[in-house]
Amino acid sequence: MNIIKTKFKDAIIVEPKVFGDHRGFFTESYNKEIFHKNGIFMDFIQDNHSLSQQSGTLRGMHYQLSPKAQTKLIRVTRGAIYDVIVDIRKESPTYGQWQGFILSADNKRQLLVPKGFAHGFCTIVENTEVQYKVDELYSPEHDRGIAWDDPTLAIDWPVQNPVLSEKDTKHPSLAEADNNFTWE
């Protein structure tokens, strides 16, 4: 696996080795030993899988408060997404900054989203399937979000009028959001 740093400490792109021939391909999407050799330690306890049928479906910007915060390892198994993370760790030198990445079934890249980041994605093709590992179970009491269109973040999404869940239309701005993350 190739580990690619992002502008954020602890957020990385994972590029697995892909072995292909006339039959198709084989890849290891996760290998705990390789992660440990690269200084990445977490205990994933659940896998999630979503399907977004329409291009332009936006899911985000989500996170869970501590002590139920989640690290996520995101990958696309069909289609493609524009995946975005926002640093919400108070006093971080990159607090309130965002970075976006194209993850697709074709490029097989994965994004490791550490605790202290809001995460969201927008599908850029129809019938996109996203799978991700988490190191903490879903907790409705700790579930929070930030407005996908917060003008202070100015995220450059690939759509103007995304397909949203009702929940994702009601998130507050970063300045107004519940947030118990601090920079260490």
Side-chain angles (χ1 to χ4, degrees):
M1 291 184 179
N2 188 22
I3 306 297
I4 303 167
K5 294 184 186 258
T6 68
K7 74 178 184 178
F8 301 114
K9 182 181 183 315
D10 300 326
I12 59 168
I13 294 287
V14 177
E15 213 170 46
K17 290 181 182 175
V18 180
F19 305 94
D21 61 22
H22 67 282
R23 301 167 297 163
F25 73 88
F26 171 83
T27 187
E28 277 186 352
S29 60
Y30 175 72
N31 182 310
K32 187 174 185 174
E33 185 176 308
I34 291 173
F35 270 53
H36 284 190
K37 286 180 182 176
N38 284 281
I40 305 164
F41 301 95
M42 70 255 335
D43 183 20
F44 290 119
I45 60 171
Q46 180 176 315
D47 283 4
N48 299 316
H49 186 157
S50 72
L51 165 67
S52 298
Q53 295 177 325
Q54 294 178 293
S55 178
T57 297
L58 196 150
R59 297 174 185 257
M61 299 294 297
H62 304 147
Y63 61 96
Q64 286 188 178
L65 297 172
S66 290
K68 296 294 183 179
Q70 296 175 317
T71 298
K72 299 176 182 178
L73 181 61
I74 315 291
R75 70 187 182 114
V76 174
T77 53
R78 184 167 79 175
I81 62 174
Y82 183 65
D83 205 335
V84 174
I85 56 175
V86 176
D87 185 350
I88 60 172
R89 300 167 299 172
K90 295 173 186 168
E91 301 175 20
S92 162
T94 54
Y95 175 80
Q97 293 182 26
W98 65 273
Q99 190 170 7
F101 311 89
I102 299 292
L103 304 181
S104 71
D106 290 336
N107 72 20
K108 297 184 183 32
R109 286 183 159 194
Q110 300 175 60
L111 177 63
L112 183 75
V113 182
K115 294 171 176 65
F117 284 79
H119 171 258
F121 64 84
C122 181
T123 60
I124 52 180
V125 298
E126 292 181 350
N127 295 312
T128 292
E129 294 188 42
V130 176
Q131 295 185 29
Y132 59 100
K133 297 180 171 308
V134 293
D135 67 350
E136 182 61 61
L137 297 175
Y138 174 69
S139 172
E141 310 83 60
H142 296 88
D143 185 34
R144 299 293 188 277
I146 297 168
W148 69 275
D149 59 351
D150 181 339
T152 59
L153 297 176
I155 298 170
D156 188 17
W157 292 105
V159 295
Q160 297 295 320
N161 297 304
V163 177
L164 298 165
S165 69
E166 183 177 342
K167 173 183 150 181
D168 287 345
T169 65
K170 298 178 179 179
H171 295 308
S173 68
L174 176 58
E176 299 167 333
D178 287 341
N179 178 359
N180 64 2
F181 297 103
T182 55
W183 173 250
E184 296 176 17

